[in-house]
Amino acid sequence: MSTTSDRRKIGEIRPSQLLYTFGVGATVELPNLSVMVMGLDDWPVEQGTTEISEPRLLKAVQGELGPQVAKLLTPPLTSESTGVASSPFDDTANVGVPVAPFPRWKVCPHPHCRLLAPIQSGLFELKLDPYRKDRSRYVHRICKKPGKPPTVVPARFLVACENGHLDDFPWVEFVHRGKTDCRYELRLYELGASGEVADIQVECVKCNKTRRMSDAFSDEGRDELSQCRGRQPHLRKYDEDPCKGKQRAILLGASNSWFPIPLSVLSIPTSSDKLAQLIEMNWAELEECESGRDVKMKWRLLKGLATHTEDQIWEAVTKRKCSSAQEEDEFVDVRRPEWEVFSNPDSSRNSRNFKLRVVDSPKPYRHLLKKVVLAERLREVRSLIGFTRIESPGEYTELGDFPKDQRVPLSRTVPKWVPTSEIRGEGVFLQFSEHSIEMWVKKTKEREGEFFEAHRRWRLNRGLNTTLLARQVSALARS
Ligand SMILES: [Zn+2]
Ligand SMILES: [Zn+2]
Ligand SMILES: [Zn+2]
């Protein structure tokens, strides 16, 4: 089949990738196995996660997922990225986040065998590699192939719906065209070398029924497959309420099988006071402190505070606690504080994570640009708050516009933390002159009428319908 698989071992995935390319609910292809990244309930939070302090982001996440979210945590680090050797039998030896084999249906690749069966049939045997967990595989032990049992591959067909459900392909019902009593035994043959879906055929050798896989993508197949079972494999459960979504066939690794829903902020200084900035940076540690003595106990974990006394720190912590209690009920506008800091750069606010420098606008663009600010040091913090399948939240301009019931939760129970990563980099901030933008909008409005009139004349001259055109234009304008 012509799907490009991204084969890699889990140890090679960086924390930021874990959130985005291979986050909770996504499928990952290991060298011999396709797996699903499991929900937060299964993550070993106690092993090697680090709390990230970014109060504005935490507040925004709470606004979306509820006030019980208490922490932003980095994904568990793998032994390879920490450089600490661990026992090969330790579950975290190579896999930093929990995964489970998915899809459950596998195919024996031997051309004379091609057995298609689920893992729970017991026909495939798990071969655990104690030294490289990510190289573990299933083999077809009693295969027609003489010699070493072949390593089986995932059946690359799945079904998914726009409400975020994902399920194994209903192989048995599909080949028998409905429910059956047949004590089936399935094979999946590739009839041509093209790898095209039309050349793949599923066959039941017990009753000799066959069906081409292209049927799954035809109108008839679409109707047959449309009933969704509401499965959420990353949470190991089926939704209790029947799903009204339209289920359809997709291929393993298809780009529409998983879209992350992230929330992100740029770390900005909330104060020009250096001590307050350091308190902010260490807030994950300092928040729990109840006295100057507690601060002392945390001394070794604090960064950059060595020149301050514990009393000074405790005083600043108290101040910070009072102000956050006041902010509690305020509406979270993530972008406005960023806009304010970037559009009024103040070098006294520069810090380890944040450095702005104003430069002159390039001469030819001076009438368009009000300000050019180089962000020479920036830290972006991103959290994953959910995901979707089939439909991308990126098609909506505001996160709030995306239908909430299509957002798939990351855990079975309400989450107490969300996976988060930080990225350090740089950027350029351009502030356009509002006057120039207004002028441009005005000019294009005038042109719009001229263009439309010219196009109408063009259609009229060719004897084409112009009322239809008017309707299309007004529909376009509405969308
Ligand atoms: Zn076989
Ligand atoms: Zn059959
Ligand atoms: Zn569904």
Side-chain angles (χ1 to χ4, degrees):
M1 210 168 305
S2 58
T3 48
T4 48
S5 60
D6 194 354
R7 289 168 199 281
R8 56 180 77 226
K9 60 185 166 56
I10 276 269
E12 286 174 349
I13 297 172
R14 282 180 290 147
S16 56
Q17 268 182 310
L18 264 172
L19 292 192
Y20 288 96
T21 323
F22 308 110
V24 171
T27 47
V28 181
E29 296 211 30
L30 301 180
N32 302 311
L33 202 59
S34 154
V35 294
M36 166 146 300
V37 179
M38 301 307 279
L40 299 183
D41 319 79
D42 291 2
W43 286 41
V45 190
E46 57 298 331
Q47 291 167 14
T49 54
T50 315
E51 185 173 352
I52 292 182
S53 174
E54 188 54 60
R56 274 195 317 123
L57 180 60
L58 180 60
K59 238 173 158 194
V61 172
Q62 287 169 336
E64 289 292 325
L65 302 181
Q68 80 291 337
V69 181
K71 285 173 180 176
L72 309 174
L73 297 180
T74 59
L77 293 175
T78 66
S79 57
E80 283 174 25
S81 51
T82 53
V84 180
S86 47
S87 153
F89 299 101
D90 177 356
D91 264 340
T92 61
N94 285 307
V95 183
V97 294
V99 294
F102 190 84
R104 308 289 293 174
W105 283 74
K106 311 275 172 208
V107 186
C108 174
H110 191 258
H112 299 305
C113 174
R114 301 295 302 175
L115 175 73
L116 170 68
I119 293 174
Q120 59 269 30
S121 66
L123 295 166
F124 304 128
E125 189 186 338
L126 178 63
K127 289 269 182 215
L128 266 178
D129 184 335
Y131 298 100
R132 295 290 301 274
K133 279 260 162 83
D134 59 300
R135 301 213 162 251
S136 299
R137 61 208 170 97
Y138 282 90
V139 297
H140 186 204
R141 203 163 41 87
I142 310 169
C143 183
K144 289 177 183 166
K145 175 184 174 275
K148 241 166 112 190
T151 298
V152 300
V153 297
R156 305 199 66 89
F157 293 83
L158 300 167
V159 281
C161 91
E162 70 273 21
N163 292 332
H165 300 122
L166 182 70
D167 209 339
D168 279 289
F169 191 84
W171 294 104
V172 179
E173 292 80 8
F174 180 74
V175 68
H176 294 97
R177 293 173 192 263
K179 292 246 173 294
T180 177
D181 294 329
C182 175
R183 296 173 61 81
Y184 61 86
E185 185 184 325
L186 306 188
R187 311 271 157 173
L188 191 68
Y189 292 112
E190 284 182 28
L191 303 178
S194 71
E196 300 272 319
V197 174
D199 281 346
I200 298 174
Q201 179 168 283
V202 55
E203 182 179 336
C204 175
V205 291
K206 286 274 155 79
C207 67
N208 294 323
K209 289 216 163 68
T210 62
R211 198 165 185 190
R212 296 284 173 124
M213 289 315 291
S214 46
D215 272 12
F217 299 90
S218 68
D219 289 347
E220 182 200 359
R222 233 169 253 162
D223 279 349
E224 269 179 60
L225 294 172
S226 66
Q227 189 66 51
C228 174
R229 296 198 296 172
R231 185 170 174 197
Q232 295 192 327
H234 69 295
L235 304 179
R236 304 174 206 276
K237 69 163 200 168
Y238 293 84
D239 273 353
E240 281 161 26
D241 299 329
C243 175
K244 293 197 185 84
K246 273 222 171 319
Q247 186 177 262
R248 68 204 77 182
I250 60 167
L251 294 177
L252 180 64
S255 57
N256 64 348
S257 64
W258 190 82
F259 299 102
I261 306 181
L263 267 188
S264 74
V265 302
L266 294 171
S267 284
I268 49 167
T270 43
S271 163
S272 55
D273 173 359
K274 281 274 179 288
L275 177 58
Q277 283 176 16
L278 290 167
I279 297 293
E280 203 62 58
M281 206 173 83
N282 288 286
W283 193 242
E285 298 297 340
L286 290 170
E287 191 182 9
E288 296 159 10
C289 292
E290 296 293 339
S291 66
R293 193 159 3 127
D294 290 349
V295 173
K296 201 170 181 181
M297 306 251 288
K298 295 262 184 187
W299 200 248
R300 277 181 18 189
L301 300 169
L302 303 178
K303 291 181 201 112
L305 281 164
T307 54
H308 298 273
T309 67
E310 65 211 51
D311 288 339
Q312 286 172 328
I313 298 172
W314 173 239
E315 198 189 314
V317 169
T318 324
K319 221 157 101 188
R320 166 75 173 77
K321 282 191 175 182
C322 288
S323 66
S324 58
Q326 273 170 10
E327 287 169 9
E328 208 79 317
D329 301 321
E330 280 171 26
F331 165 73
V332 198
D333 181 348
V334 177
R335 296 291 163 233
R336 179 170 283 276
E338 292 173 9
W339 164 261
E340 274 160 10
V341 170
F342 279 94
S343 56
N344 302 296
D346 170 1
S347 60
S348 73
R349 291 184 162 211
N350 286 350
S351 70
R352 218 168 66 116
N353 288 326
F354 190 82
K355 193 175 170 199
L356 297 185
R357 186 158 63 92
V358 185
V359 292
D360 287 337
S361 310
K363 244 192 196 143
Y365 302 104
R366 220 156 262 177
H367 62 295
L368 297 176
L369 294 172
K370 193 171 164 195
K371 206 173 281 169
V372 178
V373 182
L374 302 185
E376 295 177 319
R377 250 182 249 164
L378 264 188
R379 169 181 177 255
E380 189 189 16
V381 189
R382 294 177 182 169
S383 293
L384 181 73
I385 61 161
F387 65 88
T388 67
R389 303 196 196 275
I390 308 294
E391 277 187 20
S392 159
E395 284 156 26
Y396 294 77
T397 39
E398 291 290 329
L399 186 64
D401 297 342
F402 189 79
K404 274 224 164 79
D405 51 351
Q406 289 190 15
R407 183 168 83 193
V408 184
L410 300 178
S411 52
R412 281 186 291 270
T413 50
V414 281
K416 300 225 166 47
W417 63 279
V418 286
T420 303
S421 68
E422 49 182 351
I423 298 139
R424 281 163 215 274
E426 50 199 12
V428 182
F429 172 82
L430 302 177
Q431 185 178 357
F432 285 90
S433 141
E434 274 185 47
H435 176 70
S436 318
I437 291 184
E438 273 167 22
M439 295 301 287
W440 177 78
V441 170
K442 225 171 116 196
K443 210 154 84 188
T444 47
K445 273 236 173 78
E446 287 162 13
R447 294 249 168 94
E448 197 179 85
E450 288 170 26
F451 275 133
F452 181 68
E453 188 44 37
H455 188 58
R456 201 186 65 85
R457 271 202 309 273
W458 184 87
R459 290 184 72 95
L460 208 66
N461 290 342
R462 283 156 186 81
L464 297 169
N465 189 345
T466 50
T467 39
L468 187 69
L469 172 80
R471 223 180 300 145
Q472 283 166 340
V473 169
S474 67
L476 261 180
R478 273 201 308 277
S479 66

